[in-house]
Amino acid sequence: MKRVKVRLGSDSYQICIGSGLLERTGEQLREIGFSDTIVIITDTRVKSLYGNTLKQSLTGDGFKVIILEVPEGEEQKSLETAGRLYAELSKSYVERATPILALGGGVIGDLAGFVAATYLRGLVFIQLPTTLLAQVDSSIGGKVAVDHGHLKNMIGAFYQPRLVISDIAILRTLDSGELSDGLAEIIKYAVIKDRAFFIYLEENLDLIKSLSEGQLEEVVFKSAEIKARIVEEDEGDLGLRNILNYGHTVGHAIESVSAFAVGHGAAVALGMLAAGRISNQLGILNKDDLIRLESILARAGLPIKMPHLEVDKVIQAIKHDKKIMAGKIRLILAKSIGNVFITDEVSLSLVEQVLVSWNEET
């Protein structure tokens, strides 16, 4: 098992990464001092796959277990669902010392984290991410939120988990699309911070895609370590942490304009390529690095061609991005693989020009 420590003073916590950890969850929680009742929040599919394993681990170590189940889907990440969960917690006489365990992907992590942050002004929160994307991204850093109408992730809080348990063995149930979603974020980490990690991905991508546990453990560990170090420097997302949005500005716009027909990982991949093309157009990122980025994204099963969307609608969506500051779009651009910078000096007309040109190629 590998461990990453996220050092945030009194809010510090560990990320545990390894195979078979779900079956040892009860033992781990006992070791850090928990007893009595545990609440699990999960969705229907994940419960059917892993609910019994987790429950048996907890009851075997003497915990009383309450499972709160919600349907699958992004639409469950809502104030309405949070309200139903508050009612269930009240009915179960949950106290402030009762931990909430989020068993699922990013939606469950966000929803359960939001509920934990707001019920009784804060319950202990533990992440058990079940997708590669959640293990390397959303379970780390303390961002929790719900959607409301057209507002995505605009109602939320910074609320750090007490512990993150990433069981690599769980990833065997992922389909190819879910795996690619996670790989998009892993590639992002390499581009923003670690050229050597990018080379490792180039050399080991086939093994990672075949779900080799050794390689999966290494890439989840390395990604978690990169994100942890960034979060430590900028927990409140006021500066450096913005680099974690590499690929997300254009990516989120593509997601929105496609009515989410383009999934998150695919959209981030396209956003990274758009940012790469913009940087190359500015004479910053060299062509060889752009080609390498395109190649590894394609090998990861991610799109490298601009989807047939109306570019002016994509530009309009970018104008509504939450990273707009004083009317200026803030982009993260690569100087080279492993080295990025934040800028608000790129005009929307240049972004549009790059997207139109790319659209014409496809």
Side-chain angles (χ1 to χ4, degrees):
M1 180 173 68
K2 294 178 181 287
R3 297 177 187 267
V4 175
K5 181 73 175 287
V6 187
R7 300 175 183 86
L8 295 169
S10 61
D11 289 330
S12 297
Y13 57 95
Q14 282 198 334
I15 303 164
C16 302
I17 302 156
S19 182
L21 297 186
L22 195 66
E23 297 159 8
R24 294 165 48 198
T25 301
E27 173 191 334
Q28 287 182 277
L29 297 190
R30 281 285 178 200
E31 285 176 2
I32 60 176
F34 291 111
S35 60
D36 199 25
T37 303
I38 299 280
V39 175
I40 300 168
I41 296 179
T42 189
D43 68 36
T44 306
R45 177 173 178 267
V46 173
K47 182 188 174 187
S48 69
L49 289 169
Y50 304 114
N52 284 338
T53 300
L54 179 56
K55 184 177 180 179
Q56 287 171 13
S57 171
L58 294 168
T59 56
D61 273 272
F63 290 100
K64 176 189 173 184
V65 178
I66 299 167
I67 300 181
L68 303 182
E69 178 184 348
V70 300
E72 279 187 87
E74 176 81 23
E75 63 275 10
Q76 296 304 316
K77 205 173 85 172
S78 67
L79 289 169
E80 181 183 0
T81 304
R84 290 199 301 270
L85 291 171
Y86 295 145
E88 292 292 333
L89 293 172
S90 176
K91 193 186 301 182
S92 301
Y93 299 99
V94 165
E95 301 173 355
R96 289 190 74 181
T98 304
I100 287 187
L101 276 61
L103 177 67
V107 168
I108 288 296
D110 276 2
L111 173 65
F114 180 82
V115 168
T118 51
Y119 189 72
L120 295 178
R121 297 187 178 89
L123 303 177
V124 175
F125 175 45
I126 295 167
Q127 287 267 24
L128 284 85
T130 58
T131 65
L132 182 58
L133 179 59
Q135 288 188 4
V136 301
D137 186 39
S138 58
S139 66
I140 306 164
K143 285 186 176 181
V144 298
V146 292
D147 303 334
H148 185 62
H150 295 295
L151 304 176
K152 181 177 171 61
N153 292 335
M154 297 288 273
I155 302 170
F158 288 97
Y159 195 70
Q160 301 297 339
R162 175 70 184 276
L163 177 69
V164 179
I165 301 172
S166 292
D167 188 343
I168 300 304
I170 286 176
L171 302 179
R172 288 194 295 261
T173 60
L174 297 184
D175 61 34
S176 59
E178 291 171 318
L179 182 65
S180 292
D181 276 352
L183 286 172
E185 293 289 345
I186 289 168
I187 292 165
K188 177 198 78 176
Y189 288 122
V191 175
I192 65 173
K193 208 68 177 172
D194 195 329
R195 192 178 186 92
F197 184 36
F198 189 90
I199 294 168
Y200 177 88
L201 294 175
E202 287 179 316
E203 293 173 347
N204 291 274
L205 191 60
D206 291 340
L207 284 169
I208 296 165
K209 288 174 66 180
S210 70
L211 301 177
S212 164
E213 286 193 355
Q215 274 69 28
L216 280 173
E217 184 174 310
E218 179 62 22
V219 298
V220 172
F221 167 73
K222 191 64 184 175
S223 298
E225 192 172 49
I226 290 170
K227 183 164 186 181
R229 300 295 83 85
I230 293 170
V231 168
E232 286 170 355
E233 289 192 48
D234 181 21
E235 183 183 0
D237 201 10
L238 299 173
L240 176 68
R241 188 167 174 169
N242 285 192
I243 69 173
L244 293 171
N245 290 315
Y246 177 64
H248 285 62
T249 301
V250 175
H252 280 160
I254 288 172
E255 270 187 289
S256 176
V257 174
S258 74
F260 298 95
V262 178
H264 181 73
V268 169
L270 292 165
M272 286 192 281
L273 282 176
R277 284 170 171 256
I278 291 165
S279 188
N280 178 254
Q281 186 83 2
L282 292 168
I284 300 168
L285 182 69
N286 69 52
K287 190 68 174 178
D288 286 346
D289 275 358
L290 180 57
I291 290 169
R292 287 175 70 185
L293 175 59
E294 185 175 286
S295 174
I296 199 168
L297 290 171
R299 287 176 59 206
L302 292 157
I304 59 171
K305 293 183 177 180
M306 183 70 179
H308 293 291
L309 301 171
E310 294 181 40
V311 171
D312 61 332
K313 289 186 178 179
V314 175
I315 296 298
Q316 285 302 314
I318 290 172
K319 288 180 180 179
H320 291 285
D321 190 277
K322 61 187 177 184
K323 293 177 288 299
I324 291 280
M325 295 285 285
K328 291 185 175 182
I329 184 68
R330 197 184 322 162
L331 289 175
I332 295 84
L333 300 180
K335 294 180 181 178
S336 61
I337 290 171
N339 184 10
V340 297
F341 66 102
I342 303 166
T343 180
D344 62 3
E345 298 300 320
V346 177
S347 67
L348 275 174
S349 61
L350 176 59
V351 177
E352 184 172 12
Q353 176 188 328
V354 166
L355 294 181
V356 167
S357 173
W358 190 12
N359 214 11
E360 288 172 351
E361 289 176 22
T362 59

